[in-house]
Amino acid sequence: MSYKIIFSVIIFMILNCSLVFAKSVNKTISITFDDAPRWSGSYLSGPDRAKKIVDALAKFNVQAAFFVNSKKITTNERRARVKLYDDSGHIIANHSHSHFDFNKTSSKAYIKDFETAHYQLKDYKNFKKWYRFPFLREGNTREKVDSFRSALSQFGYFNGYVTINNYDWYMESQFQKAIKSGDKIDMSLMKKYYVDTLYEAVEYYRAQSVKDSGREVAHVLLLHENDVAALFLPYLLLKLQTEGWKLVTPQKAFEDRIAKFQASHVFPFNPGRVMEIAHSKGKTKGLWHETCNEKFLDKKFNSEVLKIVN
C-alpha cells in the first residue's frame, strides 16, 4: 500500500472520529413553554394544539415545563388544556397572573400579581415553585430587582431562567398573519424556517456558554404555547437529537451550576442567563441573537416561506 493511500485513510479516520466526537459531546437541553394557555382559533383549535404538543413530547419521551398565566384560565377549554399538560406529566409553573411588564408596573402590584398566580396554580399535581418573568423582564431599577428577588425567596421560588432566547412568538404572528391574509403557505417551507431559525439560536447561545464556562452547560429553550410549536415541535426535537443534543427535564437543566448565578447588573430587557454571564465578563454587543430581531425575521420569512424577492 502506497504512502499516499495510507495517508488518505488516516485523514479519513480522523475526520470521521471528529464528527463522531462532535455529535457525542454532552449537549443537553430542556423544553419550556411560556404563556399557556394562549388564545387559539386562528389555525388550530386549543384542544388540537394541546394534543399535538403533548403527542410530540410523548413521542420523544420529553417532560416539558409550561409557565402559565393564571388569568388566562377563563374558559372550560383553557382549563382543560392546562389540565392535559398536568395530567400528561409536565411541569406547571408560574408565569404571573396578568402577564404584566415589570418595567411598567410597580413592585407592589407586580408582587401581588405573582402571589395571585401562585394561589391559583399551586394545586396542580405537577406544580413547581418556578417563576418566569413575562417578556423576561426582571425589573428596570435596583429596587424592583431586589424587592422581587426577596419575594421569590420568601415564597420558596426559583427563577425559571432561559438560556436560549428567540422570537418564536413573532414567527407565530408571521404565520397567523399570512394565513389571515390568504397567502399561500408551503408548510414544508414553514417547517424548515421554524426549525432552522430556532436551531441557529440554539447554536449561538451554546457557543457563547462554552466560551464563558469552558464546558457544556445545561440549556433551557424558550418556546411559547402556540400553533407553530404544535405543528413543528416534532421536527425541532428530531433536529436536536440528530445534532447530538440530549433532551433532559427542566428539573435536570436547572441543576446546572449556572442556576446559582445572579446578575448584579440591572437589565431593563433581560437577554437570558447565558448572556447575563457573558455581560458580567465584559460582553456588551451580541447579547441577543439576530433571531430576536423582527426585521431580520421578516426578511427571512418573506424570502424563505413566501418566496418574495426584494
Side-chain angles (χ1 to χ4, degrees), residues 251-285:
Q251 178 73 59
K252 181 66 176 177
F254 286 144
E255 292 172 1
D256 193 282
R257 294 197 301 272
I258 64 171
K260 296 180 180 179
F261 177 85
Q262 272 199 337
S264 58
H265 180 77
V266 175
F267 290 94
F269 307 98
N270 192 284
R273 183 56 50 91
V274 163
M275 290 306 180
E276 284 181 316
I277 294 171
H279 184 272
S280 75
K281 296 178 180 292
K283 185 178 179 66
T284 58
K285 295 183 179 179

Side-chain angles (χ1 to χ4, degrees), residues 2-15:
S2 70
Y3 287 114
K4 286 186 178 180
I5 294 176
I6 294 173
F7 180 75
S8 297
V9 171
I10 292 173
I11 294 297
F12 177 80
M13 291 176 65
I14 291 173
L15 289 174

Side-chain angles (χ1 to χ4, degrees), residues 40-79:
S40 62
S42 293
Y43 189 80
L44 295 174
S45 68
D48 285 345
R49 176 195 294 166
K51 185 177 186 307
K52 285 181 178 292
I53 290 175
V54 167
D55 287 350
L57 294 170
K59 179 179 179 180
F60 287 84
N61 194 29
V62 172
Q63 182 197 51
F66 289 83
F67 287 84
V68 175
N69 298 126
S70 56
K71 190 176 182 178
K72 294 178 180 177
I73 310 175
T74 54
T75 65
N76 289 336
E77 184 277 313
R78 291 187 177 192
R79 192 170 296 107

